[in-house]
Amino acid sequence: SVYNPDFVCLSFYKIFGYPTGIGALLVKNDSATILKKKYWGGGTIAVSIAQENYKEYRTGVSERFEDGTVDFANIALLKHGFQCINNLGMDAIQKHTFCLTQYLYKELAALRHNNGSPVCEIYGNHISNDLTKQGPILSLNFLRPDGTFIGYNEVQQLASLNNIHIRTGCFCNPGACQKYLKLSIQDIKSNYQSGHVCWDSHDIINGKPTGAIRISPTYITTWEDIFAVIQFIQQYFVKTEVAQYVKDNSQTQDSPMLSKIIVYP
């Protein structure tokens, strides 16, 4: 092995997409003594006394740290996930998702409003065109023709109505969120004092987004899926023509016309 880590944590959901809520911690036996338990549950002790604060843990590493009944139903499903990954091959999956992501990045980066301003603010290292430097995710925010941000909650609601699944917010990565959105420490504290917390609907505060939109192509994503995402963005977030006004002879001023109403939860 090139690397010899003492601990490796992983999420099977991030690899297969299903089952959710299950992962693993790989521990080198020589390093297991570093881990200290703060509590204990069923199956992890060799002996305990109810009348005294006394217990002795089981000797095996997994026995000592797997409290209670393990999620055996989902563990049984992991076999099919590994079979799928092995049949496709990680190299093929990496190339497939990289091509999808890079195509999507180039298409969205080229989108312009009718006044020439960009439609998307894209985060990451996609410009490198190197699959070793940028994974198959596209994080971005949408901009209006005047350069102001569109809240990610609006985007998520519209995407749901169009059967497109995206993630929004900071994706459990506050450090990257703060870096790419250019949020200062004071911004974070001020947003919290204003009532903003994780998972709420406060997506724009003082003109700055509090999170972003993430599109994540996977091994089951098709080119048709990518085309559908691009079409969705072009339909709802690209301004292609100047608003038209019709002269009403009964009024002294031009009146705007209502051309479209979009209702979402």
Side-chain angles (χ1 to χ4, degrees), residues 129-190:
N129 197 34
D130 186 342
L131 55 75
T132 67
K133 296 180 180 179
Q134 174 62 52
I137 60 171
L138 192 72
S139 298
L140 72 161
N141 273 304
F142 294 120
L143 301 164
R144 298 185 180 87
D146 62 1
T148 57
F149 288 96
I150 298 174
Y152 56 76
N153 277 310
E154 178 180 345
V155 179
Q156 184 175 41
Q157 298 290 351
L158 288 171
S160 296
L161 290 174
N162 286 268
N163 297 318
I164 296 174
H165 182 67
I166 59 175
R167 284 292 308 274
T168 59
C170 277
F171 324 119
C172 302
N173 193 341
C177 189
Q178 183 175 344
K179 172 185 175 181
Y180 285 106
L181 298 180
K182 298 180 176 61
L183 295 171
S184 66
I185 294 175
Q186 183 56 44
D187 287 333
I188 302 297
K189 293 180 178 180
S190 177

Short mmCIF file of all heavy atoms in Angstrom, two decimals, residues 129-190:
data_model
loop_
_atom_site.label_atom_id
_atom_site.label_comp_id
_atom_site.label_asym_id
_atom_site.label_seq_id
_atom_site.Cartn_x
_atom_site.Cartn_y
_atom_site.Cartn_z
N ASN A 129 -9.41 20.95 -15.53
CA ASN A 129 -9.72 19.84 -16.44
C ASN A 129 -8.91 18.60 -16.08
O ASN A 129 -8.44 17.86 -16.95
CB ASN A 129 -9.46 20.24 -17.90
CG ASN A 129 -10.14 19.31 -18.89
OD1 ASN A 129 -11.23 18.80 -18.62
ND2 ASN A 129 -9.51 19.07 -20.02
N ASP A 130 -8.78 18.36 -14.76
CA ASP A 130 -7.94 17.26 -14.27
C ASP A 130 -8.74 16.48 -13.23
O ASP A 130 -9.10 17.01 -12.17
CB ASP A 130 -6.67 17.83 -13.64
CG ASP A 130 -5.69 16.75 -13.23
OD1 ASP A 130 -6.09 15.58 -13.09
OD2 ASP A 130 -4.50 17.08 -13.01
N LEU A 131 -9.02 15.22 -13.54
CA LEU A 131 -9.86 14.42 -12.63
C LEU A 131 -9.17 14.09 -11.32
O LEU A 131 -9.81 13.62 -10.38
CB LEU A 131 -10.35 13.15 -13.32
CG LEU A 131 -9.36 12.17 -13.96
CD1 LEU A 131 -8.63 11.34 -12.94
CD2 LEU A 131 -10.11 11.27 -14.93
N THR A 132 -7.87 14.33 -11.22
CA THR A 132 -7.17 14.11 -9.95
C THR A 132 -7.25 15.34 -9.04
O THR A 132 -6.87 15.28 -7.88
CB THR A 132 -5.69 13.77 -10.18
OG1 THR A 132 -5.01 14.90 -10.74
CG2 THR A 132 -5.55 12.58 -11.11
N LYS A 133 -7.75 16.46 -9.59
CA LYS A 133 -7.82 17.70 -8.81
C LYS A 133 -9.24 18.18 -8.56
O LYS A 133 -9.46 19.07 -7.75
CB LYS A 133 -7.04 18.81 -9.54
CG LYS A 133 -5.55 18.53 -9.65
CD LYS A 133 -4.84 19.67 -10.37
CE LYS A 133 -3.34 19.40 -10.48
NZ LYS A 133 -2.64 20.50 -11.21
N GLN A 134 -10.21 17.59 -9.27
CA GLN A 134 -11.60 18.00 -9.09
C GLN A 134 -12.50 16.77 -9.21
O GLN A 134 -12.47 16.07 -10.21
CB GLN A 134 -12.01 19.03 -10.13
CG GLN A 134 -13.49 19.40 -10.11
CD GLN A 134 -13.91 20.02 -8.78
OE1 GLN A 134 -13.30 20.98 -8.30
NE2 GLN A 134 -14.95 19.47 -8.17
N GLY A 135 -13.28 16.52 -8.17
CA GLY A 135 -14.19 15.38 -8.18
C GLY A 135 -15.45 15.66 -8.98
O GLY A 135 -15.66 16.78 -9.47
N PRO A 136 -16.33 14.65 -9.11
CA PRO A 136 -17.53 14.79 -9.93
C PRO A 136 -18.69 15.47 -9.22
O PRO A 136 -19.77 14.90 -9.06
CB PRO A 136 -17.85 13.34 -10.28
CG PRO A 136 -17.40 12.57 -9.07
CD PRO A 136 -16.15 13.28 -8.60
N ILE A 137 -18.46 16.67 -8.76
CA ILE A 137 -19.53 17.49 -8.20
C ILE A 137 -19.40 18.89 -8.76
O ILE A 137 -18.30 19.34 -9.09
CB ILE A 137 -19.50 17.54 -6.66
CG1 ILE A 137 -18.18 18.13 -6.16
CG2 ILE A 137 -19.74 16.18 -6.05
CD1 ILE A 137 -18.16 18.40 -4.67
N LEU A 138 -20.54 19.56 -8.88
CA LEU A 138 -20.53 20.94 -9.37
C LEU A 138 -21.29 21.79 -8.37
O LEU A 138 -22.51 21.64 -8.21
CB LEU A 138 -21.18 21.02 -10.75
CG LEU A 138 -20.99 22.34 -11.49
CD1 LEU A 138 -19.54 22.47 -11.97
CD2 LEU A 138 -21.92 22.43 -12.70
N SER A 139 -20.59 22.67 -7.67
CA SER A 139 -21.20 23.57 -6.70
C SER A 139 -21.27 24.96 -7.30
O SER A 139 -20.29 25.45 -7.86
CB SER A 139 -20.39 23.59 -5.39
OG SER A 139 -20.37 22.32 -4.79
N LEU A 140 -22.41 25.60 -7.16
CA LEU A 140 -22.61 26.89 -7.82
C LEU A 140 -23.75 27.65 -7.17
O LEU A 140 -24.52 27.11 -6.36
CB LEU A 140 -22.90 26.69 -9.30
CG LEU A 140 -24.28 26.13 -9.70
CD1 LEU A 140 -24.58 26.44 -11.16
CD2 LEU A 140 -24.40 24.64 -9.46
N ASN A 141 -23.88 28.91 -7.57
CA ASN A 141 -25.04 29.73 -7.27
C ASN A 141 -25.46 30.42 -8.56
O ASN A 141 -24.64 30.63 -9.46
CB ASN A 141 -24.74 30.77 -6.19
CG ASN A 141 -24.96 30.22 -4.79
OD1 ASN A 141 -26.05 29.74 -4.46
ND2 ASN A 141 -23.93 30.30 -3.96
N PHE A 142 -26.73 30.78 -8.65
CA PHE A 142 -27.25 31.46 -9.83
C PHE A 142 -27.34 32.96 -9.59
O PHE A 142 -27.62 33.42 -8.47
CB PHE A 142 -28.62 30.92 -10.22
CG PHE A 142 -28.57 29.49 -10.68
CD1 PHE A 142 -29.30 28.50 -10.02
CD2 PHE A 142 -27.80 29.12 -11.77
CE1 PHE A 142 -29.25 27.19 -10.43
CE2 PHE A 142 -27.74 27.80 -12.19
CZ PHE A 142 -28.48 26.84 -11.52
N LEU A 143 -27.10 33.71 -10.66
CA LEU A 143 -27.10 35.18 -10.60
C LEU A 143 -28.18 35.75 -11.50
O LEU A 143 -28.48 35.21 -12.57
CB LEU A 143 -25.73 35.72 -11.05
CG LEU A 143 -24.51 35.26 -10.26
CD1 LEU A 143 -23.24 35.55 -11.04
CD2 LEU A 143 -24.47 35.94 -8.90
N ARG A 144 -28.74 36.86 -11.07
CA ARG A 144 -29.67 37.62 -11.92
C ARG A 144 -28.86 38.49 -12.88
O ARG A 144 -27.64 38.65 -12.71
CB ARG A 144 -30.58 38.48 -11.06
CG ARG A 144 -31.46 37.69 -10.11
CD ARG A 144 -32.42 38.62 -9.37
NE ARG A 144 -33.28 37.88 -8.45
CZ ARG A 144 -32.97 37.58 -7.20
NH1 ARG A 144 -31.80 37.99 -6.70
NH2 ARG A 144 -33.80 36.89 -6.44
N PRO A 145 -29.51 39.06 -13.88
CA PRO A 145 -28.78 39.92 -14.83
C PRO A 145 -28.04 41.07 -14.16
O PRO A 145 -27.01 41.54 -14.67
CB PRO A 145 -29.88 40.42 -15.76
CG PRO A 145 -30.91 39.35 -15.72
CD PRO A 145 -30.91 38.84 -14.32
N ASP A 146 -28.54 41.54 -13.00
CA ASP A 146 -27.88 42.66 -12.32
C ASP A 146 -26.76 42.19 -11.39
O ASP A 146 -26.14 43.01 -10.69
CB ASP A 146 -28.90 43.50 -11.54
CG ASP A 146 -29.59 42.71 -10.44
OD1 ASP A 146 -29.27 41.51 -10.26
OD2 ASP A 146 -30.47 43.28 -9.76
N GLY A 147 -26.49 40.88 -11.36
CA GLY A 147 -25.39 40.36 -10.55
C GLY A 147 -25.78 39.94 -9.15
O GLY A 147 -24.93 39.40 -8.43
N THR A 148 -27.01 40.16 -8.75
CA THR A 148 -27.45 39.71 -7.43
C THR A 148 -27.73 38.21 -7.45
O THR A 148 -28.03 37.63 -8.49
CB THR A 148 -28.70 40.47 -6.97
OG1 THR A 148 -29.75 40.28 -7.95
CG2 THR A 148 -28.42 41.96 -6.83
N PHE A 149 -27.63 37.60 -6.27
CA PHE A 149 -27.79 36.15 -6.17
C PHE A 149 -29.25 35.74 -6.06
O PHE A 149 -30.07 36.44 -5.46
CB PHE A 149 -27.04 35.62 -4.95
CG PHE A 149 -25.55 35.64 -5.09
CD1 PHE A 149 -24.80 36.70 -4.58
CD2 PHE A 149 -24.89 34.60 -5.73
CE1 PHE A 149 -23.42 36.72 -4.71
CE2 PHE A 149 -23.50 34.61 -5.86
CZ PHE A 149 -22.77 35.67 -5.35
N ILE A 150 -29.54 34.58 -6.63
CA ILE A 150 -30.84 33.93 -6.45
C ILE A 150 -30.71 32.94 -5.31
O ILE A 150 -29.77 32.15 -5.27
CB ILE A 150 -31.28 33.20 -7.74
CG1 ILE A 150 -31.44 34.21 -8.88
CG2 ILE A 150 -32.57 32.42 -7.52
CD1 ILE A 150 -31.73 33.57 -10.21
N GLY A 151 -31.63 32.97 -4.37
CA GLY A 151 -31.54 32.08 -3.22
C GLY A 151 -31.61 30.61 -3.62
O GLY A 151 -32.40 30.22 -4.48
N TYR A 152 -30.80 29.80 -2.96
CA TYR A 152 -30.74 28.38 -3.33
C TYR A 152 -32.02 27.63 -2.98
O TYR A 152 -32.33 26.59 -3.57
CB TYR A 152 -29.53 27.69 -2.71
CG TYR A 152 -29.41 27.80 -1.21
CD1 TYR A 152 -30.19 27.02 -0.36
CD2 TYR A 152 -28.47 28.65 -0.62
CE1 TYR A 152 -30.07 27.11 1.01
CE2 TYR A 152 -28.32 28.73 0.75
CZ TYR A 152 -29.12 27.96 1.57
OH TYR A 152 -29.00 28.04 2.93
N ASN A 153 -32.82 28.14 -2.02
CA ASN A 153 -34.08 27.48 -1.70
C ASN A 153 -35.06 27.57 -2.86
O ASN A 153 -35.80 26.62 -3.14
CB ASN A 153 -34.71 28.11 -0.45
CG ASN A 153 -34.13 27.54 0.83
OD1 ASN A 153 -34.05 26.32 1.00
ND2 ASN A 153 -33.71 28.41 1.72
N GLU A 154 -35.08 28.71 -3.54
CA GLU A 154 -35.93 28.86 -4.72
C GLU A 154 -35.53 27.85 -5.80
O GLU A 154 -36.37 27.23 -6.44
CB GLU A 154 -35.83 30.28 -5.27
CG GLU A 154 -36.64 30.52 -6.53
CD GLU A 154 -36.52 31.93 -7.05
OE1 GLU A 154 -36.04 32.81 -6.30
OE2 GLU A 154 -36.89 32.17 -8.21
N VAL A 155 -34.22 27.70 -5.98
CA VAL A 155 -33.71 26.76 -6.99
C VAL A 155 -34.10 25.34 -6.63
O VAL A 155 -34.55 24.56 -7.48
CB VAL A 155 -32.18 26.87 -7.11
CG1 VAL A 155 -31.65 25.88 -8.14
CG2 VAL A 155 -31.77 28.29 -7.48
N GLN A 156 -33.97 24.98 -5.36
CA GLN A 156 -34.29 23.62 -4.93
C GLN A 156 -35.77 23.30 -5.14
O GLN A 156 -36.12 22.20 -5.58
CB GLN A 156 -33.91 23.42 -3.48
CG GLN A 156 -34.12 21.99 -2.98
CD GLN A 156 -33.63 21.79 -1.56
OE1 GLN A 156 -33.82 22.65 -0.71
NE2 GLN A 156 -32.99 20.66 -1.31
N GLN A 157 -36.63 24.26 -4.81
CA GLN A 157 -38.07 24.03 -4.97
C GLN A 157 -38.43 23.84 -6.44
O GLN A 157 -39.19 22.93 -6.80
CB GLN A 157 -38.85 25.20 -4.38
CG GLN A 157 -38.68 25.42 -2.90
CD GLN A 157 -39.33 24.33 -2.06
OE1 GLN A 157 -40.05 23.49 -2.58
NE2 GLN A 157 -39.07 24.34 -0.76
N LEU A 158 -37.87 24.66 -7.30
CA LEU A 158 -38.15 24.53 -8.72
C LEU A 158 -37.59 23.23 -9.28
O LEU A 158 -38.21 22.58 -10.13
CB LEU A 158 -37.57 25.73 -9.48
CG LEU A 158 -38.29 27.06 -9.30
CD1 LEU A 158 -37.49 28.19 -9.91
CD2 LEU A 158 -39.68 27.00 -9.92
N ALA A 159 -36.41 22.85 -8.81
CA ALA A 159 -35.81 21.59 -9.27
C ALA A 159 -36.69 20.41 -8.87
O ALA A 159 -36.89 19.48 -9.66
CB ALA A 159 -34.40 21.45 -8.70
N SER A 160 -37.22 20.43 -7.66
CA SER A 160 -38.08 19.35 -7.19
C SER A 160 -39.33 19.23 -8.06
O SER A 160 -39.77 18.11 -8.38
CB SER A 160 -38.48 19.57 -5.73
OG SER A 160 -37.36 19.54 -4.89
N LEU A 161 -39.89 20.36 -8.45
CA LEU A 161 -41.07 20.34 -9.32
C LEU A 161 -40.75 19.78 -10.69
O LEU A 161 -41.65 19.31 -11.40
CB LEU A 161 -41.63 21.76 -9.46
CG LEU A 161 -42.28 22.35 -8.21
CD1 LEU A 161 -42.68 23.80 -8.44
CD2 LEU A 161 -43.49 21.53 -7.79
N ASN A 162 -39.49 19.81 -11.07
CA ASN A 162 -39.08 19.29 -12.37
C ASN A 162 -38.38 17.93 -12.26
O ASN A 162 -37.67 17.51 -13.18
CB ASN A 162 -38.15 20.30 -13.06
CG ASN A 162 -38.90 21.50 -13.59
OD1 ASN A 162 -39.33 21.52 -14.73
ND2 ASN A 162 -39.05 22.52 -12.76
N ASN A 163 -38.56 17.27 -11.11
CA ASN A 163 -38.01 15.92 -10.89
C ASN A 163 -36.48 15.89 -11.01
O ASN A 163 -35.91 14.92 -11.51
CB ASN A 163 -38.63 14.92 -11.86
CG ASN A 163 -40.13 14.76 -11.66
OD1 ASN A 163 -40.61 14.71 -10.52
ND2 ASN A 163 -40.88 14.70 -12.75
N ILE A 164 -35.85 16.95 -10.54
CA ILE A 164 -34.38 17.01 -10.51
C ILE A 164 -33.95 17.09 -9.04
O ILE A 164 -34.41 17.97 -8.31
CB ILE A 164 -33.86 18.22 -11.29
CG1 ILE A 164 -34.21 18.08 -12.78
CG2 ILE A 164 -32.35 18.38 -11.12
CD1 ILE A 164 -33.86 19.29 -13.61
N HIS A 165 -33.09 16.19 -8.64
CA HIS A 165 -32.65 16.13 -7.25
C HIS A 165 -31.30 16.81 -7.10
O HIS A 165 -30.31 16.38 -7.71
CB HIS A 165 -32.56 14.69 -6.76
CG HIS A 165 -32.16 14.58 -5.32
ND1 HIS A 165 -32.96 15.00 -4.28
CD2 HIS A 165 -31.03 14.10 -4.73
CE1 HIS A 165 -32.35 14.79 -3.13
NE2 HIS A 165 -31.17 14.25 -3.37
N ILE A 166 -31.24 17.86 -6.30
CA ILE A 166 -30.00 18.56 -6.01
C ILE A 166 -29.86 18.72 -4.51
O ILE A 166 -30.82 18.51 -3.76
CB ILE A 166 -29.96 19.95 -6.69
CG1 ILE A 166 -31.14 20.81 -6.20
CG2 ILE A 166 -29.96 19.83 -8.20
CD1 ILE A 166 -31.13 22.23 -6.71
N ARG A 167 -28.68 19.09 -4.08
CA ARG A 167 -28.45 19.42 -2.68
C ARG A 167 -28.18 20.92 -2.57
O ARG A 167 -27.60 21.52 -3.47
CB ARG A 167 -27.25 18.66 -2.12
CG ARG A 167 -27.50 17.19 -1.83
CD ARG A 167 -28.46 16.98 -0.67
NE ARG A 167 -28.06 17.70 0.52
CZ ARG A 167 -27.19 17.25 1.43
NH1 ARG A 167 -26.61 16.07 1.25
NH2 ARG A 167 -26.89 17.96 2.49
N THR A 168 -28.59 21.50 -1.46
CA THR A 168 -28.34 22.92 -1.23
C THR A 168 -27.84 23.13 0.19
O THR A 168 -28.04 22.29 1.07
CB THR A 168 -29.62 23.75 -1.44
OG1 THR A 168 -30.65 23.30 -0.54
CG2 THR A 168 -30.12 23.65 -2.87
N GLY A 169 -27.18 24.26 0.41
CA GLY A 169 -26.65 24.58 1.73
C GLY A 169 -25.14 24.58 1.72
O GLY A 169 -24.51 24.97 0.74
N CYS A 170 -24.55 24.10 2.81
CA CYS A 170 -23.08 24.05 2.91
C CYS A 170 -22.56 22.62 2.86
O CYS A 170 -21.35 22.39 2.99
CB CYS A 170 -22.61 24.73 4.20
SG CYS A 170 -22.48 26.52 4.05
N PHE A 171 -23.44 21.62 2.70
CA PHE A 171 -23.05 20.23 2.45
C PHE A 171 -22.13 19.69 3.54
O PHE A 171 -21.19 18.94 3.25
CB PHE A 171 -22.37 20.10 1.08
CG PHE A 171 -22.97 20.99 0.03
CD1 PHE A 171 -22.21 21.97 -0.59
CD2 PHE A 171 -24.29 20.87 -0.32
CE1 PHE A 171 -22.77 22.81 -1.54
CE2 PHE A 171 -24.87 21.71 -1.27
CZ PHE A 171 -24.11 22.68 -1.89
N CYS A 172 -22.40 20.06 4.78
CA CYS A 172 -21.61 19.59 5.92
C CYS A 172 -20.13 19.93 5.77
O CYS A 172 -19.26 19.20 6.26
CB CYS A 172 -21.78 18.08 6.11
SG CYS A 172 -23.49 17.57 6.36
N ASN A 173 -19.84 21.02 5.08
CA ASN A 173 -18.44 21.44 4.88
C ASN A 173 -18.36 22.95 5.08
O ASN A 173 -18.21 23.71 4.12
CB ASN A 173 -17.98 21.06 3.48
CG ASN A 173 -16.47 21.18 3.32
OD1 ASN A 173 -15.81 21.85 4.10
ND2 ASN A 173 -15.93 20.55 2.30
N PRO A 174 -18.47 23.41 6.33
CA PRO A 174 -18.49 24.86 6.59
C PRO A 174 -17.22 25.57 6.17
O PRO A 174 -17.26 26.74 5.80
CB PRO A 174 -18.72 24.95 8.11
CG PRO A 174 -18.26 23.63 8.65
CD PRO A 174 -18.57 22.62 7.58
N GLY A 175 -16.08 24.87 6.21
CA GLY A 175 -14.83 25.52 5.83
C GLY A 175 -14.81 25.90 4.36
O GLY A 175 -14.48 27.05 4.01
N ALA A 176 -15.17 24.97 3.49
CA ALA A 176 -15.21 25.26 2.05
C ALA A 176 -16.30 26.28 1.74
O ALA A 176 -16.13 27.15 0.89
CB ALA A 176 -15.45 23.97 1.27
N CYS A 177 -17.41 26.17 2.45
CA CYS A 177 -18.52 27.12 2.25
C CYS A 177 -18.05 28.54 2.55
O CYS A 177 -18.30 29.47 1.77
CB CYS A 177 -19.67 26.72 3.17
SG CYS A 177 -21.21 27.62 2.87
N GLN A 178 -17.37 28.71 3.65
CA GLN A 178 -16.88 30.03 4.03
C GLN A 178 -15.85 30.54 3.04
O GLN A 178 -15.84 31.72 2.68
CB GLN A 178 -16.29 29.96 5.43
CG GLN A 178 -15.81 31.31 5.97
CD GLN A 178 -15.34 31.22 7.41
OE1 GLN A 178 -15.63 30.25 8.11
NE2 GLN A 178 -14.60 32.22 7.86
N LYS A 179 -14.99 29.64 2.55
CA LYS A 179 -13.93 30.04 1.62
C LYS A 179 -14.49 30.51 0.28
O LYS A 179 -14.18 31.61 -0.18
CB LYS A 179 -12.98 28.87 1.40
CG LYS A 179 -11.95 29.11 0.30
CD LYS A 179 -11.10 27.88 0.03
CE LYS A 179 -10.17 28.11 -1.16
NZ LYS A 179 -9.35 26.89 -1.45
N TYR A 180 -15.32 29.67 -0.33
CA TYR A 180 -15.77 29.98 -1.69
C TYR A 180 -16.84 31.07 -1.73
O TYR A 180 -16.95 31.80 -2.72
CB TYR A 180 -16.28 28.71 -2.37
CG TYR A 180 -15.17 27.77 -2.79
CD1 TYR A 180 -14.90 26.61 -2.09
CD2 TYR A 180 -14.37 28.07 -3.88
CE1 TYR A 180 -13.87 25.76 -2.47
CE2 TYR A 180 -13.33 27.24 -4.27
CZ TYR A 180 -13.09 26.08 -3.55
OH TYR A 180 -12.06 25.26 -3.93
N LEU A 181 -17.61 31.19 -0.66
CA LEU A 181 -18.63 32.25 -0.62
C LEU A 181 -18.07 33.55 -0.06
O LEU A 181 -18.80 34.53 0.05
CB LEU A 181 -19.83 31.78 0.21
CG LEU A 181 -20.57 30.55 -0.32
CD1 LEU A 181 -21.73 30.20 0.59
CD2 LEU A 181 -21.04 30.77 -1.75
N LYS A 182 -16.79 33.51 0.31
CA LYS A 182 -16.11 34.71 0.84
C LYS A 182 -16.84 35.26 2.06
O LYS A 182 -17.06 36.47 2.19
CB LYS A 182 -15.98 35.78 -0.25
CG LYS A 182 -15.13 35.34 -1.43
CD LYS A 182 -15.03 36.45 -2.48
CE LYS A 182 -14.10 36.08 -3.63
NZ LYS A 182 -14.57 34.87 -4.35
N LEU A 183 -17.20 34.35 2.97
CA LEU A 183 -17.86 34.74 4.21
C LEU A 183 -16.81 34.88 5.30
O LEU A 183 -16.08 33.94 5.59
CB LEU A 183 -18.89 33.69 4.62
CG LEU A 183 -20.09 33.51 3.67
CD1 LEU A 183 -20.92 32.29 4.09
CD2 LEU A 183 -20.95 34.76 3.63
N SER A 184 -16.74 36.04 5.89
CA SER A 184 -15.78 36.27 6.96
C SER A 184 -16.30 35.65 8.26
O SER A 184 -17.46 35.25 8.36
CB SER A 184 -15.57 37.77 7.17
OG SER A 184 -16.76 38.39 7.65
N ILE A 185 -15.42 35.57 9.25
CA ILE A 185 -15.83 35.07 10.55
C ILE A 185 -16.94 35.93 11.12
O ILE A 185 -17.92 35.42 11.69
CB ILE A 185 -14.63 35.03 11.51
CG1 ILE A 185 -13.59 34.00 11.03
CG2 ILE A 185 -15.07 34.72 12.93
CD1 ILE A 185 -12.32 33.97 11.85
N GLN A 186 -16.84 37.22 10.90
CA GLN A 186 -17.87 38.13 11.39
C GLN A 186 -19.19 37.90 10.65
O GLN A 186 -20.27 38.00 11.25
CB GLN A 186 -17.42 39.59 11.22
CG GLN A 186 -18.41 40.62 11.77
CD GLN A 186 -18.71 40.38 13.24
OE1 GLN A 186 -17.81 40.10 14.03
NE2 GLN A 186 -19.99 40.47 13.61
N ASP A 187 -19.12 37.58 9.36
CA ASP A 187 -20.33 37.27 8.60
C ASP A 187 -21.05 36.07 9.21
O ASP A 187 -22.28 36.08 9.38
CB ASP A 187 -19.99 36.96 7.14
CG ASP A 187 -19.61 38.19 6.35
OD1 ASP A 187 -20.06 39.29 6.70
OD2 ASP A 187 -18.84 38.05 5.37
N ILE A 188 -20.28 35.02 9.53
CA ILE A 188 -20.87 33.81 10.09
C ILE A 188 -21.56 34.11 11.42
O ILE A 188 -22.69 33.70 11.67
CB ILE A 188 -19.80 32.71 10.29
CG1 ILE A 188 -19.12 32.38 8.95
CG2 ILE A 188 -20.42 31.48 10.90
CD1 ILE A 188 -20.04 31.80 7.92
N LYS A 189 -20.87 34.85 12.28
CA LYS A 189 -21.43 35.19 13.58
C LYS A 189 -22.64 36.10 13.44
O LYS A 189 -23.65 35.92 14.14
CB LYS A 189 -20.37 35.87 14.45
CG LYS A 189 -19.22 34.94 14.86
CD LYS A 189 -18.21 35.67 15.72
CE LYS A 189 -17.09 34.75 16.18
NZ LYS A 189 -16.09 35.46 17.02
N SER A 190 -22.55 37.06 12.53
CA SER A 190 -23.66 37.98 12.33
C SER A 190 -24.88 37.26 11.77
O SER A 190 -26.02 37.53 12.16
CB SER A 190 -23.23 39.10 11.37
OG SER A 190 -24.30 39.97 11.08
#
